[in-house]
Structure formats: structure tokens, C-alpha cells
């Protein structure tokens, strides 16, 4: 009887590991087939997105005095537990509402799903959409909670795709394209210039850095990154970021994954874009208190308080609002040619990657 | 050709095909369609096997030239082919992040295999096996760098003939070109509208 139980458990574990392995192996295909035009949503190099065309039309139609430009655009990118940009957790929604109240001069965008090159939610129109919908519907039950592991795994592999120098440019250009479309929908001016802050929680932190080169070059905008417990890799896209604010709770160990797994983050790699970025004083690390990565007591918790009585979410909002307001009105922009050179240099150091 | 030789070459073909699949990101980046993708995989596999054949000839040459040992070409080719069998796992290079390290591991494994196979087949010691295999590889690199042989042109001609694409650009360059082009298009469109508006005002 015990043997049977052990054998069944081992067989189940084997199947689980095989499925995870298969998911990892196939994970780059969504971005690659999109770019190659196999999935029917291929980017057309000789055509502007509809959103950009609309923006051109609207900005010409409106009298100049009626256009009141915001001071900043903030783009929120959810964590690897997300299935869609529309279905973020209650805690995240509270955080975004409070942040908007703290920064009325900013436009906050949260309608981009960072783990899809076409902003297609896991529960949207895709081959396994029905399966993701079922898992998502049941994730609050015990078995559904276990199955939700597949959502985490799928999005985690997507973070790895974004961080991989072979697939990263294609994947990140796709997500940046979706962010650009959303920015244009929200009246981002065509001439660029207004600072864009990409805010990423957990795995969203890597995407927030990965999209930086493509937003910088595609929108002619200064790019800032706010990482909220972000798992940051050694993505050379950091060379295009003006400043990075990294929030890391003293009880949050997840950001360590990025510190350990990615050689470009190690101190020994002195010439990596990451270490050059840090040496230039462009990275500020905040420890907002004893916050954990996710769940009760995390960065967005609207109920748990810090020892000084501040709500976790309020502390996070206060840090980000202060950081955003520290952006100079005429930021000294990164040099595109230098940033491209740093990006290329990193690629030449790892030609096989 | 004997049955064993057929099996040996079939495994070599599958190994190199698997390796090519693992490195197929460049094909996607260059926007090949499905038919071109298959043709490109086969074309690159053929080119790789051709380079293995040339490496075999150079190994055979150096083994005779330096150590006076001769073996039939087919035997040397089979032992080189056998060394490349770890590339049967080449498709795993597709794995994000881990794939890069796995590729490095597979290359080391192939090199160790080759040295061991040369030691066994030619009764070489490790230094002799290393000398023969590395010099063979260096000779191949040297010959392929000789511009007057126009090997690049031949390769381009072959790829054009088989896949319809004479060369494959770096994925990074293609993506940055796309983003910059989009920016140019947006600015051009804005300027065009502005000009049209100015004319209508006049």
C-alpha cells in the first residue's frame, strides 16, 4: 500500500517536472513566432500602430492651449502571479489608487500585461486560454491553488525569456510596443520628452528594465524604473535607464535570485552595464521595512502596519511618489550612442548568448 | 556503406539538426516563413556537416603529417561523427537562460569526446590527440578566413538557393532597426500633417 502511494507520488512528480520542462522549452516561442509573423499579429516595420496614428490625428485637431500635459507617465507591470492586466489583485488596485492620489500630476497606466508580447492575457484568446481560465477561476480552492503553480511557472519562464540576451530584444520590443500603444492611448505626446517611469513588481521588475531601450528609442523619452521587490537580472537594457529605485523589504529574499543567478550582477563583472550603472550612482536602494515579497505583509498590504504605524501600502506609495518627484524637469538624458555601445559590448562579451 | 556507417551518419545528421533547432532564434528574428524555416534548418545542418567533413580531413592530414599514422577517411569521419553525438541534446539550447550554459557544456563534451576517440583509434596520448584535433580546427578556421577563396560568397549563394535568404542579420540589429523605423515613421507622419495644416491655413 505504501509502495503504491510512493510510486504514485513519484509518477505525479515526474509528470509535473516534465510539464514544467516542456513549458520552459516552449516559452520563447510566443515572442519568436509573433516576431516572425507566424501568429498573425506580426509587427509591420513599414506601418505605424493605430494608436500612434490616432495620437497624430488628435494632437493636430486639439488647440494647443487645451492640451495640458502631465508631468510624468507611470506604467505599472504586475508580478508573475498575474493572468491579465485587467485582473490585478485588490492590493495592487489600492496601491495604484493611492499612488494616483499622491501624484495627481502623473498619468498611471496599468493596462499592459507584461508577460505577453501582444498584451494578450493568459485567459484571453490563445490556444490554452480555456485551461488558464479554469485554473484562474479555481485558484482560491486548495487544488486550484496548487494548479496556480503553472501560472507562476509560465510567467517566470517569460521573465527568463525577457532576460535571455537571445530572446530578450524581441520579447522586450514587443512589450514596449504594447506600452507605447497604451501611452499613446493616454495622450502621450508624439514628440516624446515626458519622463516615463516603469514600475515592476517581482518579475515585472525585469520587464520594466528590459523594455527601457525600446521605450527610450521608440518614444524619445527619459526612462526611469521603480522596482518593487523586483527580481532584477543583468539585462543590458539598464544602460538606457536614467535612474532605478529599488524597493526591497528586509524580509523579502526573492530579489536575491537576480543577485545570484546572473553573472552580470556579480561584483567581479566590473565592466557589465549593471555595475557601470551602479558606479554612476544611478541606482538607489530603499528598505521600506520588514515587508515580504507577496501575501500578507507585502509591499501593497493595505492592512499591515510598520513598527511606526504606517501602512505598508502607504510607505510604498510615499517612497515612489518622492522618487518620482525627484525627477528633474529637464533630465540629463542618457546618450543613446553610448547606451547602444554598452548594449553591444555586453553582447560581444557573450557572443553565444 | 555498411549498416553501422548508415546508423553513425544518421545520428550525426540528427545531432546537428537538433543543434540547429536549438540555435534557430536567428531564423525567427529574420522573419522566415514556416517553409523557409524548415529549409534553413536543413541547409544549416548540411553546412555544419560539411565543416565536420573538412575537419575530418584536416585531422587525418595532421595525424599522418606529425605522427605518421594513417586511417581511412570513412573511419576518421565516423569517429568524429561519434564525437558529435552529445549535440543530440542541442534542442535544449532553446531553454531560456539555462540554454546558454548548456550549449557551453555540450561543446566541451564534444571536444572531450573527440580527444578520447582520437586517443583510442590512433593510440595517441592526450597531447597528441589535442594537437591533432586543435590544429585541424585551426586549419579550418584559417582556410575559411582566406578572402580569395570567397567562401562567404559561396555560402550566401548556397543559402539564397536553398532558403531564399542570402544572409541572416543579428536579431538585436533587426529589433533596433524596427524601433528606430517606427520612430521615424511617427515623426514623418506628424510633420506631414503639420505641413498639410499650414498649407490649408495659407
Amino acid at each position: 500500500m505504501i509502495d503504491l502511494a510512493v510510486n504514485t507520488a513519484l509518477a505525479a512528480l515526474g509528470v509535473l517536472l516534465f510539464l514544467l520542462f516542456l513549458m520552459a522549452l516552449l516559452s520563447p516561442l510566443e515572442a519568436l513566432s509573433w516576431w516572425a509573423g507566424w501568429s498573425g499579429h506580426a509587427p509591420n516595420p513599414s506601418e505605424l500602430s493605430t494608436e500612434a496614428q490616432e495620437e497624430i490625428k488628435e494632437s493636430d485637431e486639439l488647440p494647443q492651449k487645451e492640451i495640458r500635459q502631465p508631468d510624468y507617465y507611470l506604467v505599472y507591470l504586475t508580478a508573475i502571479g498575474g493572468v491579465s492586466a485587467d485582473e490585478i489583485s485588490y492590493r495592487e488596485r489600492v496601491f495604484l489608487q493611492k499612488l494616483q492620489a499622491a501624484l495627481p500630476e502623473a498619468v498611471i497606466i496599468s493596462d499592459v500585461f507584461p508577460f505577453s508580447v501582444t498584451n494578450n492575457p493568459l485567459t484571453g484568446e490563445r490556444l490554452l486560454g480555456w485551461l488558464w481560465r479554469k485554473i484562474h477561476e479555481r485558484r482560491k480552492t486548495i487544488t486550484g491553488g496548487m494548479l496556480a503553480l503553472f501560472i507562476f511557472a509560465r510567467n517566470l519562464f517569460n521573465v527568463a525569456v525577457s532576460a535571455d540576451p537571445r530572446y530578450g530584444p524581441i520579447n522586450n520590443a514587443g512589450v514596449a510596443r504594447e506600452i507605447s500603444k497604451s501611452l499613446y492611448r493616454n495622450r502621450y505626446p508624439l514628440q516624446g520628452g515626458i519622463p516615463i517611469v516603469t514600475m515592476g513588481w517581482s518579475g515585472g521588475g525585469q520587464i520594466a528594465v528590459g523594455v527601457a531601450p525600446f521605450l527610450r528609442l521608440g518614444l524619445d523619452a527619459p526612462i526611469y524604473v521603480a522596482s518593487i521587490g523586483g527580481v532584477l537580472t543583468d539585462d543590458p537594457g539598464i544602460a538606457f535607464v536614467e535612474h532605478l529605485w529599488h524597493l526591497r523589504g528586509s524580509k523579502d529574499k526573492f530579489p536575491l535570485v537576480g543577485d545570484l543567478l546572473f553573472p552580470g550582477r556579480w561584483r567581479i563583472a566590473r565592466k557589465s552595464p549593471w555595475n557601470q550603472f551602479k558606479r554612476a550612482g544611478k541606482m538607489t536602494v530603499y528598505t521600506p521595512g520588514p515587508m515580504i515579497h507577496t501575501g500578507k505583509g507585502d509591499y501593497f498590504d493595505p492592512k499591515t502596519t510598520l513598527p511606526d504605524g504606517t501602512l505598508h501600502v502607504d510607505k510604498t506609495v510615499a517612497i515612489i511618489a518622492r522618487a518620482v518627484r525627484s525627477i528633474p524637469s529637464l533630465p540629463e538624458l542618457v546618450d543613446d550612442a553610448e547606451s547602444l555601445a554598452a548594449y553591444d559590448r555586453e553582447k560581444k562579451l557573450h557572443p553565444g548568448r | 556503406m555498411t549498416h553501422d556507417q548508415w546508423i553513425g551518419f544518421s545520428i550525426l545528421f540528427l545531432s546537428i539538426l537538433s543543434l540547429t533547432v536549438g540555435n534557430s532564434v536567428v531564423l525567427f528574428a529574420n522573419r522566415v516563413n514556416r517553409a523557409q524555416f524548415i529549409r534553413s534548418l536543413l541547409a544549416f545542418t548540411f553546412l555544419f556537416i560539411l565543416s565536420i567533413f573538412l575537419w575530418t580531413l584536416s585531422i587525418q592530414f595532421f595525424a599522418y603529417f606529425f605522427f605518421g599514422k594513417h586511417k581511412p577517411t570513412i573511419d576518421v569521419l565516423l569517429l568524429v561523427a561519434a564525437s558529435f553525438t552529445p549535440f543530440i541534446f542541442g534542442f535544449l539550447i532553446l531553454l531560456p537562460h539555462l540554454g546558454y550554459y548548456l550549449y557551453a557544456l555540450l561543446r566541451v563534451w564534444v571536444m572531450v569526446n573527440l580527444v578520447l576517440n582520437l586517443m583510442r583509434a590512433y593510440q595517441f596520448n592526450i597531447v597528441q590527440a589535442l594537437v591533432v584535433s586543435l590544429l585541424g580546427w585551426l586549419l579550418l578556421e584559417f582556410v575559411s578566413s582566406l578572402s580569395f577563396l570567397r567562401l562567404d560568397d559561396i555560402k550566401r549563394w548556397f543559402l539564397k538557393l536553398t532558403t531564399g535568404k542570402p544572409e541572416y542579420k543579428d536579431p538585436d540589429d533587426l529589433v533596433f532597426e524596427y524601433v528606430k523605423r517606427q520612430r521615424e515613421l511617427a515623426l514623418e507622419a506628424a510633420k506631414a500633417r503639420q505641413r498639410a495644416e499650414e498649407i490649408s491655413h495659407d
Side-chain angles (χ1 to χ4, degrees):
Chain A
M1 188 68 184
I2 293 173
D3 278 357
L4 183 69
V6 169
N7 285 341
T8 310
L10 284 177
L13 185 68
V15 170
L16 177 72
L17 289 176
F18 177 72
L19 285 175
L20 290 175
F21 164 76
L22 207 60
M23 284 170 77
L25 193 65
L26 299 179
S27 58
L29 290 185
E30 182 175 339
L32 294 179
S33 59
W34 161 75
W35 178 262
W38 292 13
S39 61
H41 302 282
N44 186 346
S46 55
E47 227 176 60
L48 273 176
S49 67
T50 317
E51 283 79 359
Q53 289 176 21
E54 288 291 319
E55 164 65 18
I56 293 164
K57 203 175 154 195
E58 280 182 22
S59 61
D60 284 343
E61 282 168 359
L62 280 172
Q64 283 305 306
K65 61 181 176 185
E66 281 182 26
I67 305 173
R68 197 204 159 275
Q69 300 288 10
D71 292 343
Y72 325 98
Y73 276 82
L74 275 61
V75 183
Y76 176 70
L77 305 170
T78 191
I80 57 169
V83 292
S84 146
D86 297 333
E87 293 186 65
I88 56 173
S89 66
Y90 169 72
R91 298 195 312 284
E92 289 169 283
R93 285 202 301 274
V94 170
F95 161 71
L96 292 173
Q97 282 163 6
K98 287 188 175 232
L99 189 62
Q100 183 67 83
L103 287 169
E105 69 275 36
V107 168
I108 300 180
I109 288 167
S110 60
D111 62 355
V112 178
F113 180 54
F115 309 112
S116 163
V117 284
T118 52
N119 201 10
N120 185 14
L122 282 191
T123 49
E125 282 180 34
R126 50 171 75 226
L127 193 65
L128 294 177
W130 61 274
L131 183 64
W132 295 121
R133 276 193 292 277
K134 279 207 181 313
I135 292 176
H136 182 55
E137 281 161 14
R138 292 178 190 174
R139 69 194 295 181
K140 283 188 179 161
T141 64
I142 294 174
T143 47
M146 284 160 71
L147 285 174
L149 164 79
F150 285 104
I151 293 176
F152 286 99
R154 187 266 171 206
N155 291 341
L156 181 69
F157 295 140
N158 194 271
V159 172
V161 167
S162 163
D164 189 313
R166 297 169 299 171
Y167 314 124
I170 290 175
N171 185 81
N172 298 334
V175 180
R177 182 172 177 263
E178 293 302 324
I179 292 174
S180 306
K181 283 158 79 175
S182 178
L183 285 163
Y184 283 136
R185 280 197 297 273
N186 286 278
R187 297 268 175 85
Y188 190 84
L190 202 65
Q191 67 271 22
I194 300 182
I196 297 169
V197 182
T198 51
M199 299 184 288
W201 177 29
S202 184
Q206 154 55 30
I207 310 288
V209 174
V211 296
F214 310 105
L215 292 178
R216 170 82 192 97
L217 298 174
L219 297 170
D220 205 8
I223 308 298
Y224 294 81
V225 175
S227 147
I228 306 160
V231 178
L232 302 169
T233 69
D234 55 1
D235 196 309
I238 194 70
F240 289 84
V241 175
E242 308 292 337
H243 202 98
L244 166 74
W245 304 291
H246 182 45
L247 277 73
R248 186 171 160 183
S250 56
K251 288 187 178 174
D252 182 2
K253 304 296 174 208
F254 278 82
L256 272 176
V257 174
D259 300 351
L260 295 173
L261 280 186
F262 295 89
R265 301 280 314 277
W266 300 347
R267 277 189 187 184
I268 195 168
R270 285 186 56 77
K271 290 193 173 173
S272 75
W274 264 91
N275 286 327
Q276 286 181 350
F277 182 82
K278 279 167 82 175
R279 273 201 303 280
K282 291 181 168 186
M283 181 170 171
T284 309
V285 180
Y286 293 101
T287 308
M291 297 180 183
I292 63 164
H293 193 68
T294 184
K296 189 175 159 49
D298 70 8
Y299 301 92
F300 304 137
D301 194 328
K303 289 178 183 159
T304 309
T305 55
L306 292 167
D308 66 359
T310 316
L311 287 170
H312 279 200
V313 66
D314 288 343
K315 182 74 176 177
T316 305
V317 165
I319 291 173
I320 293 179
R322 199 172 62 233
V324 169
R325 287 220 169 99
S326 72
I327 295 174
S329 54
L330 284 171
E332 210 174 290
L333 298 178
V334 293
D335 185 304
D336 288 345
E338 261 181 40
S339 304
L340 269 174
Y343 199 94
D344 283 347
R345 206 164 40 240
E346 181 67 4
K347 290 285 292 183
K348 281 187 185 112
L349 280 173
H350 305 287
R353 296 175 74 176
Chain B
M1 205 179 278
T2 66
H3 181 67
D4 288 350
Q5 285 168 348
W6 268 114
I7 290 177
F9 290 127
S10 301
I11 291 172
L12 175 70
F13 174 78
L14 289 176
S15 303
I16 303 307
L17 187 64
S18 174
L19 179 70
T20 315
V21 169
N23 283 314
S24 59
V25 60
V26 73
L27 302 179
F28 285 103
N30 280 273
R31 295 198 161 134
V32 296
N33 58 36
R34 287 182 177 87
Q36 276 178 325
F37 183 79
I38 306 282
R39 287 205 302 270
S40 304
L41 286 182
L42 294 173
F44 280 111
T45 302
F46 173 76
L47 287 175
F48 201 107
I49 291 176
L50 188 68
S51 70
I52 289 175
F53 180 67
L54 295 175
W55 195 7
T56 301
L57 292 182
S58 57
I59 284 172
Q60 196 185 19
F61 167 74
F62 283 115
Y64 183 71
F65 187 79
F66 284 118
F67 308 108
K69 294 190 175 177
H70 178 72
K71 280 197 168 291
T73 307
I74 190 81
D75 290 356
V76 185
L77 185 58
L78 272 174
L79 79 89
V80 174
S83 311
F84 277 81
T85 44
F87 279 149
I88 201 87
F89 300 113
F91 69 98
L92 295 178
I93 297 168
L94 277 176
L95 283 168
H97 191 59
L98 283 180
Y100 168 68
Y101 301 101
L102 203 68
Y103 190 23
L105 193 75
L106 288 178
R107 280 182 292 183
V108 171
W109 189 359
V110 165
M111 195 61 209
V112 170
N113 255 356
L114 181 65
V115 170
L116 290 176
N117 285 345
L118 285 176
M119 285 169 71
R120 204 166 33 238
Y122 278 100
Q123 303 295 310
F124 280 156
N125 61 36
I126 189 163
V127 177
Q128 289 172 319
L130 273 171
V131 165
V132 167
S133 50
L134 287 179
L135 280 179
W137 175 71
L138 280 175
L139 180 68
L140 202 61
E141 288 291 306
F142 174 70
V143 170
S144 59
S145 69
L146 295 174
S147 56
F148 67 87
L149 290 177
R150 305 185 70 172
L151 291 178
D152 277 345
D153 290 346
I154 295 171
K155 187 179 166 186
R156 266 197 290 275
W157 167 81
F158 175 74
L159 288 175
K160 173 91 180 150
L161 187 76
T162 51
T163 71
K165 266 189 183 284
E167 57 190 348
Y168 292 81
K169 287 187 182 174
D170 184 76
D172 278 11
D173 294 343
L174 288 163
V175 175
F176 279 117
E177 263 172 34
Y178 164 74
V179 174
K180 285 178 183 169
R181 182 71 193 125
Q182 287 287 299
R183 180 76 191 142
E184 283 165 11
L185 281 174
L187 293 176
E188 276 168 20
K191 274 181 196 160
R193 282 197 72 88
Q194 207 177 351
R195 269 198 303 273
E197 208 169 81
E198 281 166 10
I199 291 167
S200 70
H201 279 303
D202 290 344

